[in-house]
Structures are given as C-alpha cells and as structure tokens.
Amino acid sequence: MPTCDDKLAGLFARNCNHKPKQGVSKKWYFNWDDVDREATTMVNKNTKVTALVLKAGAFIYPAEGNDKSSRARHGLVVGDYGNGYTHTDEFSVLYRGDDESTRIQELVGGARVGTIVKTIDTGEAGELSYHILGLESGMVIINDDWNTNENGGVSNVIVATKENEEEGTGKKIFLMPASVEPTDLAETEAWITANEYVAP
C-alpha cells in the first residue's frame, strides 16, 4: 500500500493512509494526594510522565471503561489570566467490597483523583498508549449514578477539573523509561501491575 504525507500546518504531517480511531481499553483512578510530587518526573514541557511515584502504602484502583462510561477528554480554556486545560473523565466502579463505596464517598467529601487511561488505536497502526489526566490539580466528582436497571448496578462516576484550577497541559503521556531502550510500554505496564490495588 503506498504511503504519503499530508501537511497540516508548519512541521506537522500525517500519513494519508492512517485512519486512527482510539478506544478505551481500561482505566485506573488514584487519590491525588497519594502522589509523591517531588519524586514524580515529567519531561517534554510536562506533557510526558516518565516516573509516577506514589506515597508508601498507596495504590491505583482499577475501574471499567465501557460504552456508557469510556469518555476521557481535555479541553482548552482561554481565561482572563492565561490559557489552561480542563479534564473530564467517566468510568464505572464495580462493586468489589466496601472499599469502593468508601472511596466514592471520599470523593463526595471533597477528595480529588487522577486517572490513568489505556487506549488502543484501532486504525492501521494499532498503537497502544497510556495517558494520565488530572495529575497537576486533580479532579473532583461531579456525578455518581447507580442504577440497577440502566447500568447493571455499577456506579458510573464522572470527575472533572475544579473551576478556576485549570492545568497547564492536556493529557499526559505515561511512558516509563525502559532498562535498555529510551522508553517502553512494558515498563509502564509493569508499574501498573505492581501498584494496582487487589481486593483481599
């Protein structure tokens, strides 16, 4: 199949044969206060996370991404004092015990979260990637919908950047450095596995 480059603007180009369509494969959420900010490393003007470090005893929590709750997005807001990004994420929390209900209630009480989103490009490239939303200022809950008829009894949760607390960057690429190569998805996946909460 022949390839070609189609110029968009400036130095940016796209492959004419590439038709990306990104879908959410899985999600995790974490307590924003559980992140060790001094040890966490960001590069490329804070658009890439190369080391996400949690405080001792903290975990990331698996959530579900499905047709009803798979949307994750950021949007640029132009304000009086500069530009910034707001993040919104929707995910489903399955009931695995009392801990899930407790964490949602903590959100209602004012806690903040960030989310890790695993996406798969269903176009020709088939690219797998991880992104983090809410790492700079965290997101607060704006919806908790539990309905046995509509969503099978799972809690559909929506979190969003708090008003007037926009972040300086959009979604962040989460790509840990590999042992040999500069970056490697395997290192990111190993980190997720090691830090994922597993119900007793």
Side-chain angles (χ1 to χ4, degrees), residues 90-140:
E90 302 180 32
F91 52 87
S92 296
V93 177
L94 301 181
Y95 182 77
R96 300 183 183 91
D98 293 342
D99 288 344
E100 274 78 13
S101 298
T102 301
R103 284 194 289 272
I104 292 176
Q105 191 55 43
E106 288 173 351
L107 280 177
V108 174
R112 302 183 185 209
V113 299
T115 58
I116 301 172
V117 182
K118 178 180 180 181
T119 59
I120 296 178
D121 181 347
T122 57
E124 292 182 11
E127 184 180 24
L128 174 67
S129 59
Y130 293 87
H131 296 98
I132 301 177
L133 281 73
L135 185 59
E136 294 177 46
S137 64
M139 296 177 285
V140 297

Side-chain angles (χ1 to χ4, degrees), residues 4 30 51 69 71 73 98 101 108 151 177 199:
C4 64
F30 57 88
S69 62
R71 292 177 291 274
R73 53 191 178 270
D98 293 342
S101 298
V108 174
N151 53 35

